[in-house]
Amino acid sequence: MKMYVTVLLMSMGALLTEANQKCTGNPLMYNGKLCASTTKYADGNKGACGCGPADNNDQFEWNHSGFVAAANQALFDAGEASWCGESCGKCVKLTTTGGFVDGQGQATADGQSRIFMITNLCPNEAPNLSWCSQQGSVGVNQYGYGAHFDLENGANQISGMGWDNPEVTWEWTDCDGGHLEYSSTPNDDMYKTCQCGQTENEEITNTNGNGDATLAPTNQKCTGNPRMYNGKPCASTTKYADGSKGACGCGPSENNDQFEWNHSGFVAAANQALFDAGGVTWCGGWCGKCVKLTTTGGFVDGQGQATGEGQSKVFMITNLCSNTYPTPSWCSQHASNGGVNQNGYGAHFNLQDGANQISGMGWDNPEVTWELIDCDAGHLDDWRTPNNGMYMTCQCG
Ligand SMILES: *[C@@H]1O[C@H](CO)[C@@H](O)[C@H](O)[C@H]1NC(C)=O
Ligand SMILES: CC(=O)N[C@H]1CO[C@H](CO)[C@@H](O)[C@@H]1O
Ligand SMILES: CC(=O)N[C@H]1CO[C@H](CO)[C@@H](O)[C@@H]1O
């Protein structure tokens, strides 16, 4: 009896320490979605996206009660820009997990979603190091989160909802859709009044080059900057085949060969900004993660062909698509071009086609939407998606 009580107390102790964070893994995830930590702040400044008048440091009126947030440096801009970062004016949907970081917040009911526009930077410097310095090969802050959002609380819009630094899952979403759902979420037109919103518009015009803005989008279903479809971020795809193990080391350590599962497997090289926000070219933070790609039916004019819409496959990221020559047109997502490649996509996946697994499905560089998903679930759905155990055999695993 005495032993039983001791064991019970010990397990209760273990429950107590671990219980407050619902997200697990590295980086922390929950229900197959990436987690983020949150805090709140209030200042009267226009912030690092210039959401205020050009002639002073004030904010626009909509900052009062709006759902706006400062993102950690790595998310704000992979190239470390501290003004007009590539995430300025983009929106994220945050959903409470019910968890929180021990000693840094309080429990909040789970499943509460709100949509926030990124209008500011949480720098990876003192006094913001503990939350906003995502570091290491996995790129997490000291509590294990790959992202952090510091939420503007100038009109008590955050504390008023009972949010005391809740743990959340996060995903990119469309600002206009967010504004329709929550009037406090700024929309795309409001962002265009920000100083960085104006720069971005000029860049889009320049990118189109020929001045004919209507020609380019004909075959692309995704719209906006970055391009989105049905509220999901879009990516461009291409295919490749080589026999080398790639930037996640998915092959024997003594040579440059690939594992057998590259033959017919669903594996992909991700653009540098996604592969590793810190610019790492070996064992990037996204090695071994899986993305579900769903065809939109669209494609980039002159670069592919129409594919039926709604076809989904899950790919493990096992390689890097470098942002240096000869791949910059697809993989050059960078602050200087608004975080999109020359065709307007925030992400690019180069799909391994060594056994014609891509061309065999009739995929000729289709435009897709993408979302993060668990590799084991992907593998169950189609054995060609490598599972987490297979990834552990890679050098970076
Ligand atoms: C970042 O630092 C500023 C002071 O410079 C502070 O007001 C803010 O709360 C900090 N935010 C986080 C998330 O550390
Ligand atoms: C211009 C403007 O509306 N600025 C407001 C932004 O929000 C802060 C509170 O966070 C107010 O103090 C400012 O007046
Ligand atoms: C070790 C191994 O199975 N390597 C194969 C990886 O896939 C390529 C085709 O993309 C084959 O040529 C390799 O033999």
Side-chain angles (χ1 to χ4, degrees):
M1 181 59 193
K2 195 177 169 201
M3 223 175 95
Y4 169 79
V5 171
T6 312
V7 168
L8 186 70
L9 285 176
M10 277 173 63
S11 51
M12 278 176 70
L15 269 177
L16 274 178
T17 28
E18 308 263 325
N20 297 330
Q21 282 165 284
K22 298 271 185 84
C23 302
T24 55
N26 190 24
L28 291 168
M29 296 187 63
Y30 186 66
N31 286 343
K33 291 191 177 146
L34 289 169
C35 289
S37 44
T38 69
T39 46
K40 48 193 180 311
Y41 79 114
D43 68 10
N45 302 335
K46 63 184 169 187
C49 302
C51 294
D55 52 348
N56 61 41
N57 200 22
D58 290 351
Q59 298 169 308
F60 287 132
E61 179 62 28
W62 47 263
N63 80 83
H64 268 302
S65 50
F67 288 152
V68 298
N72 62 292
Q73 175 74 69
L75 191 71
F76 183 76
D77 192 90
E80 305 262 296
S82 56
W83 171 253
C84 294
E86 60 196 12
S87 293
C88 278
K90 297 192 180 139
C91 285
V92 289
K93 180 175 184 173
L94 307 186
T95 305
T96 57
T97 66
F100 61 98
V101 175
D102 201 38
Q104 304 284 352
Q106 302 234 338
T108 310
D110 70 350
Q112 298 176 18
S113 295
R114 295 289 185 275
I115 295 174
F116 294 83
M117 179 181 281
I118 295 172
T119 58
N120 205 357
L121 161 69
C122 179
N124 57 357
E125 56 191 40
N128 300 121
L129 288 171
S130 58
W131 295 111
C132 297
S133 75
Q134 276 65 12
Q135 283 172 343
S137 63
V138 185
V140 296
N141 63 21
Q142 76 174 52
Y143 304 109
Y145 297 93
H148 181 81
F149 300 100
D150 202 5
L151 312 174
E152 170 71 52
N153 192 36
N156 294 323
Q157 62 267 50
I158 305 303
S159 44
M161 299 191 295
W163 283 27
D164 185 7
N165 299 354
E167 175 186 70
V168 295
T169 59
W170 73 276
E171 59 203 298
W172 294 112
T173 190
D174 177 58
C175 297
D176 284 344
H179 183 72
L180 279 180
E181 208 170 335
Y182 312 99
S183 59
S184 301
T185 306
N187 62 20
D188 290 334
D189 281 342
M190 286 155 90
Y191 176 63
K192 282 187 197 142
T193 64
C194 298
Q195 288 174 274
C196 301
Q198 289 154 24
T199 317
E200 203 167 273
N201 295 339
E202 279 159 27
E203 276 171 10
I204 295 168
T205 315
N206 292 343
T207 310
N208 285 343
N210 57 12
D212 191 344
T214 54
L215 246 188
T218 345
N219 294 318
Q220 290 162 282
K221 299 267 187 89
C222 303
T223 55
N225 188 27
R227 289 184 186 275
M228 299 193 60
Y229 188 64
N230 288 342
K232 289 189 178 147
C234 290
S236 44
T237 69
T238 46
K239 48 191 182 308
Y240 79 114
D242 71 5
S244 42
K245 63 185 169 187
C248 303
C250 293
S253 58
E254 74 271 22
N255 60 39
N256 199 21
D257 289 352
Q258 297 169 312
F259 287 132
E260 180 62 29
W261 46 262
N262 81 82
H263 268 303
S264 49
F266 286 145
V267 298
N271 63 293
Q272 174 74 69
L274 190 70
F275 181 78
D276 192 276
V280 160
T281 57
W282 170 254
C283 294
W286 278 57
C287 278
K289 298 204 172 122
C290 285
V291 288
K292 179 177 177 176
L293 307 186
T294 303
T295 57
T296 65
F299 62 97
V300 176
D301 202 37
Q303 304 282 354
Q305 302 234 338
T307 310
E309 180 178 346
Q311 300 172 17
S312 295
K313 293 290 175 209
V314 178
F315 294 81
M316 180 181 281
I317 292 169
T318 59
N319 206 358
L320 161 69
C321 178
S322 153
N323 59 2
T324 56
Y325 187 82
T327 43
S329 63
W330 295 113
C331 297
S332 65
Q333 285 78 356
H334 201 266
S336 60
N337 46 35
V340 296
N341 63 22
Q342 73 175 42
N343 297 304
Y345 298 93
H348 182 80
F349 301 101
N350 198 7
L351 312 175
Q352 171 68 246
D353 194 32
N356 295 323
Q357 61 267 49
I358 304 304
S359 41
M361 298 191 295
W363 283 26
D364 184 7
N365 300 354
E367 174 187 72
V368 296
T369 58
W370 72 277
E371 61 204 293
L372 200 62
I373 188 175
D374 179 60
C375 297
D376 286 345
H379 183 72
L380 277 180
D381 198 42
D382 189 320
W383 61 272
R384 289 175 292 184
T385 304
N387 62 22
N388 292 322
M390 287 154 91
Y391 176 64
M392 282 192 234
T393 65
C394 298
Q395 288 175 273
C396 302

